[in-house]
Amino acid sequence: MRAPTITIDGPGGTGKGTLALRMTRRTGWHLLDSGALYRVVAYQARRLGIALDAAVELATIAAALPLEFGGAEDRVQVWLEGQDLSDEIRREAIGDAASKVGALPAVRAALLARQREFLRPPGLVADGRDMGTVVFPAAELKIYLTASPEVRAERRYKQLKQKGIDVNLARLSEDISTRDRRDEQRDVSPLQPASDAIILDTTALDIATVEESVKALAQARGLV
Ligand code: C5P
């Protein structure tokens, strides 16, 4: 049985993660937070002292990660070998390292099949950078979120503060633009909207409004 898919792509701080969680709650479908996979590979690389450009070693780690995902009410939870990494992997240093390992074709290839395994009935909401372009090109509904760099930095700032992570707004802004550039300019699966994606600018929208728009699109396509 083919399960329907909604993909939600775009740069960081556009509200992808929150929208994806809300849509899974609304639909009862599975959730793939693909950024968490790249973040865990980066976390392991740092823990094991592996260079962030060591493609072969990192691809081996990516292919064999003994990862477990769980969905709490308001966030995605990630365990690695029994250790809860949910907050640890949200740190900016890990996000930055994730974007470096994500630029390696071998790592992306190793994670491809693992990501596709998430597609099971009754359906999947997949959040990331290349969900609609590479991982689930046949998705029934593809959303691409954007927002101004200032608003994205402020959202990230609030999110990290809420998690008790100490951050500096100016520094965060710089990190976000560096990461965007790296994600947009890499050779494999660069960050870009699929040709059939619907682009939503969330700069002036709250998450409830974004959710309503996406719900309406999903309904129009007979998905919910
Ligand atoms: O979405 P999140 O901030 O958790 O992603 C962290 C990093 O992982 C991104 O900056 C990006 O470089 C990489 N990533 C990716 N492809 C995805 C998801 C995340 O390259 N599908």
Side-chain angles (χ1 to χ4, degrees):
M1 175 185 163
R2 205 184 122 57
T5 310
I6 298 176
T7 58
I8 304 174
D9 289 304
T14 49
K16 291 183 315 262
T18 314
L19 175 64
L21 263 175
R22 285 181 172 230
M23 288 306 293
T24 52
R25 250 179 269 147
R26 192 179 272 277
T27 53
W29 294 1
H30 299 284
L31 173 66
L32 167 60
D33 170 4
S34 61
L37 293 173
Y38 289 91
R39 285 173 181 266
V40 174
V41 174
Y43 170 87
Q44 278 291 68
R46 286 164 58 106
R47 193 172 71 89
L48 301 172
I50 297 172
L52 296 176
D53 59 357
V56 175
E57 286 97 322
L58 293 173
T60 308
I61 288 180
L65 279 180
L67 255 192
E68 279 172 64
F69 276 93
E73 259 298 285
D74 58 348
R75 61 181 195 139
V76 176
Q77 285 181 295
V78 185
W79 288 272
L80 181 67
E81 292 163 341
Q83 192 191 350
D84 183 352
L85 293 183
S86 314
D87 287 335
E88 180 65 33
I89 59 164
R90 298 296 155 197
R91 293 183 177 279
E92 271 307 293
I94 299 287
D96 183 65
S99 114
K100 289 181 181 149
V101 304
L104 301 172
V107 170
R108 304 201 76 85
L111 290 179
L112 191 59
R114 300 201 65 159
Q115 294 176 86
R116 290 186 175 151
E117 281 166 14
F118 281 76
L119 179 52
R120 296 186 304 270
L124 179 71
V125 179
D127 140 24
R129 302 289 188 289
D130 59 345
M131 299 296 99
T133 48
V134 176
V135 183
F136 302 107
E140 281 74 6
L141 176 60
K142 299 180 183 178
I143 304 293
Y144 189 90
L145 300 185
T146 63
S148 75
E150 295 75 23
V151 164
R152 291 164 44 208
E154 274 163 32
R155 286 183 189 157
R156 261 287 150 87
Y157 180 78
K158 279 195 202 139
Q159 252 175 9
L160 293 172
K161 279 273 174 192
Q162 265 169 12
K163 290 192 200 315
I165 297 175
D166 200 24
V167 274
N168 167 297
L169 184 57
R171 175 78 207 282
L172 188 62
S173 258
E174 259 176 54
D175 288 352
I176 288 181
S177 6
T178 310
R179 192 128 70 85
D180 283 354
R181 263 198 306 279
R182 199 183 293 130
D183 289 351
E184 284 162 3
Q185 291 170 3
R186 66 179 172 226
D187 295 334
V188 276
S189 309
L191 173 63
Q192 61 181 31
S195 56
D196 51 350
I198 292 164
I199 300 178
L200 289 177
D201 183 344
T202 70
T203 306
L205 303 179
D206 63 18
I207 185 67
T209 312
V210 177
E211 184 186 357
E212 282 310 308
S213 312
V214 174
K215 185 193 87 178
L217 288 164
Q219 275 170 339
R221 292 179 190 203
L223 297 175
V224 292

